[in-house]
Amino acid sequence: MAGVQSDPHFFEGTEKLLEVWFESTKGDDSFDLRNIGRLDWEHLLRIVRCEIISKSSSDDMDAYVLSESSMFITQKRFILKTCGRTTLLLAMEPLIRLVTEKCGDHKVVDVFYSRKKFAKPEQQHKIHRTFEDEVHHLDQLFKNGAAYTLGKINKDCWHLYMLEDVPGVKDPDQTIELLMWNMCPEKMKIFTKEVSEDGAEATQKSGIIDIIPGLQIDDFLFDPCGYSMNGILPGGYYITIHITPEPHCSYVSFESNVPQESYYDLVHKVLGCFNPEKFLMTVFSNKISIAKESHKHFEDLYRLKGYKRKDHQFCAFQNYNLTYTMYTRPII
């Protein structure tokens, strides 16, 4: 993945993930975030310290592969996921101004910001150095924010900021993430120019192409190594995968909003592609999603495809259910 680090031998693969839902205050059906032009998005991304590499589109979504991860735009939803030393939260206030300018009067329906614990937080911009700093920044913008940490705070954990006491998203909504690290070296070699000529070859060789059939895929292989892909489906559904293959900081993220009653089979496919030593999984679904009961499939799953469960937490928020699970491969 691209990006300049203070330590030239380390790249922070862990992403910052922001999802914002908007709605016209006038009930205007013409309200559409996709009316915002590419130049405006490029200007916003300069604040974040990343740039657009490529774009793919469907009737329901515009998807951008970035120099540091991905961006997805639908009629009412904005998703920005960035790795490295990007300054994602500095774009929050400019984003709201941009939507007002280009789309008219609106309200923010819901906000979700999340990330795994950084490997080297001291290398981040001061706004992202601690979760407390991030929460402080968001609290200046939203009076009804709520911050949570799941997992062991002195080891691997996952942070979440969201809004409370809001009507919430009216559409079925769900997101599954698998965040994986200490990756299999042989699997990671696929995502280097030494083994694969381009993103399409890496997608084929790794088995990514078979995770969810029928995707419109936009993939990119960085030089000398690193990989990003967006895959989109009708209905505004997507998967996105980002890979930092260097052995000393290897990391892979998988994210999708494809609705499923159970994500068990999908998780098995993803693990088969990458074979991590450790991974954490989050499943986030609102009360009208078919995935709202998917947490039950993992409640008693102490072992999964050769992994042992280390943490498992379930949260029932006002509008969403959230499952956090951490697995590691037992040391033999």
Side-chain angles (χ1 to χ4, degrees):
M1 303 292 290
V4 178
Q5 304 288 312
S6 58
D7 177 354
H9 303 294
F10 174 81
F11 187 86
E12 185 71 70
T14 294
E15 297 105 343
K16 312 161 184 87
L17 175 60
L18 176 68
E19 180 173 327
V20 187
W21 288 78
F22 295 91
E23 189 175 89
S24 170
T25 55
K26 299 177 180 179
D28 185 0
D29 291 337
S30 66
F31 179 91
D32 195 329
L33 299 177
R34 292 169 297 176
N35 292 332
I36 299 174
R38 177 164 175 157
L39 289 177
D40 293 309
W41 291 127
E42 289 176 345
H43 179 73
L44 184 75
L45 292 172
R46 280 197 291 271
I47 299 171
V48 181
R49 301 178 180 176
C50 63
E51 58 188 29
I52 295 171
I53 291 177
S54 59
K55 176 186 176 183
S56 56
S57 296
S58 67
D59 291 340
D60 308 291
M61 173 181 287
D62 293 333
Y64 297 83
V65 172
L66 307 179
S67 56
E68 275 85 2
S69 301
S70 292
M71 180 172 71
F72 298 91
I73 314 294
T74 65
Q75 181 182 3
K76 299 178 181 179
R77 183 186 62 208
F78 170 87
I79 298 174
L80 181 58
K81 185 171 194 167
T82 65
C83 57
R85 297 179 66 203
T86 50
T87 51
L88 185 150
L89 288 182
L90 290 181
M92 186 73 246
E93 197 168 3
L95 170 66
I96 294 173
R97 290 199 302 266
L98 177 63
V99 174
T100 300
E101 177 186 346
K102 299 296 182 179
C103 301
D105 294 336
H106 69 275
K107 60 182 177 181
V108 174
V109 176
D110 223 334
V111 173
F112 306 94
Y113 173 74
S114 64
R115 65 168 175 84
K116 178 186 172 292
K117 185 178 183 178
F118 290 129
K120 293 191 176 184
E122 69 277 6
Q123 293 193 4
Q124 295 295 316
H125 183 279
K126 62 182 180 180
I127 195 175
H128 288 293
R129 207 154 288 160
T130 70
F131 185 51
E132 290 76 14
D133 291 331
E134 295 170 322
V135 170
H136 176 75
H137 180 78
L138 289 165
D139 278 347
Q140 308 309 303
L141 302 175
F142 305 105
K143 297 179 180 179
N144 54 336
Y148 303 87
T149 296
L150 283 75
K152 299 180 177 73
I153 61 173
N154 62 332
K155 294 186 180 179
D156 294 304
C157 60
W158 183 79
H159 303 296
L160 170 68
Y161 183 97
M162 58 190 296
L163 302 186
E164 58 182 0
D165 299 323
V166 293
V169 177
K170 297 176 183 177
D171 302 316
D173 182 40
Q174 57 285 313
T175 304
I176 179 171
E177 275 194 291
L178 275 79
L179 309 180
M180 300 164 270
W181 62 104
N182 294 3
M183 307 302 299
C184 170
E186 290 304 312
K187 297 282 189 181
M188 291 298 96
K189 285 181 181 178
I190 296 171
F191 305 100
T192 68
K193 285 287 188 176
E194 182 182 349
V195 173
S196 298
E197 182 177 348
D198 53 21
E201 185 175 355
T203 299
Q204 288 279 352
K205 284 183 175 179
S206 62
I208 288 173
I209 195 163
D210 299 316
I211 292 177
I212 296 180
L215 291 169
Q216 177 186 335
I217 292 177
D218 182 13
D219 44 25
F220 188 81
L221 184 66
F222 292 85
D223 189 5
C225 64
Y227 171 91
S228 288
M229 74 83 73
N230 295 332
I232 58 178
L233 290 165
Y237 302 121
Y238 67 90
I239 76 168
T240 186
I241 297 172
H242 302 282
I243 299 173
T244 301
E246 294 92 328
H248 60 284
C249 55
S250 60
Y251 177 86
V252 176
S253 70
F254 170 89
E255 177 190 343
S256 179
N257 72 336
V258 172
Q260 295 186 2
E261 291 185 7
S262 170
Y263 288 104
Y264 182 83
D265 291 339
L266 177 62
V267 169
H268 269 258
K269 286 184 178 181
V270 174
L271 294 176
C273 288
F274 302 116
N275 192 23
E277 182 181 307
K278 299 179 180 181
F279 71 94
L280 68 81
M281 174 179 62
T282 62
V283 181
F284 210 50
S285 56
N286 65 6
K287 305 300 173 67
I288 54 175
S289 165
I290 65 167
K292 66 181 182 296
E293 302 292 335
S294 61
H295 62 91
K296 294 181 178 179
H297 298 275
F298 295 98
E299 283 179 354
D300 299 318
L301 204 60
Y302 296 98
R303 292 188 177 273
L304 173 65
K305 197 178 173 64
Y307 295 89
K308 183 178 179 181
R309 194 170 80 188
K310 303 296 288 186
D311 275 312
H312 182 71
Q313 294 172 262
F314 173 73
C315 300
F317 299 116
Q318 176 186 352
N319 299 315
Y320 283 82
N321 291 334
L322 168 64
T323 303
Y324 166 94
T325 310
M326 165 81 184
Y327 286 94
T328 65
R329 194 181 296 282
I331 300 174
I332 300 175

